[in-house]
Amino acid sequence: MLQPARVEVARHLEQYRAWERLMLASPDNSAVRGSFESTGYTLCVLMGKRCAREAVDAAELYLSRRRRTPGRSRAQQ
């Protein structure tokens, strides 16, 4: 299965968090809300999820996992 590049996931997650902070500070600002929702949608597409909250959780989990070498157990790494 194809996986998104970790660098791209990290970049979009960082953007999502930045827009989230701005949106929470200015919930009535439609431009900020639109950008926040757009970054959430991008994460949904990258992570294959249907809602932004699931996409953020999946992105955080994906970034927290170390790359494992095929054929090696965790104990051997």
Side-chain angles (χ1 to χ4, degrees):
M1 178 179 194
L2 290 176
Q3 297 290 319
R6 288 180 186 278
V7 172
E8 287 299 308
V9 173
R11 183 171 67 86
H12 287 290
L13 183 59
E14 185 177 326
Q15 288 177 349
Y16 177 87
R17 292 290 187 206
W19 283 114
E20 181 181 43
R21 286 188 297 274
L22 289 171
M23 200 270 308
L24 290 171
S26 303
D28 295 334
N29 186 325
S30 61
V32 170
R33 181 173 291 280
S35 294
F36 171 68
E37 290 175 357
S38 178
T39 58
Y41 175 78
T42 301
L43 276 175
C44 287
V45 172
L46 278 174
M47 302 312 298
K49 299 297 180 181
R50 296 187 76 175
C51 76
R53 184 73 255 152
E54 288 178 6
V56 168
D57 291 344
E60 289 173 342
L61 180 63
Y62 179 65
L63 294 172
S64 70
R65 293 182 182 157
R66 285 187 346 177
R67 282 193 216 168
R68 294 192 312 211
T69 306
R72 294 181 72 186
S73 68
R74 287 185 184 204
Q76 293 173 324
Q77 292 185 21

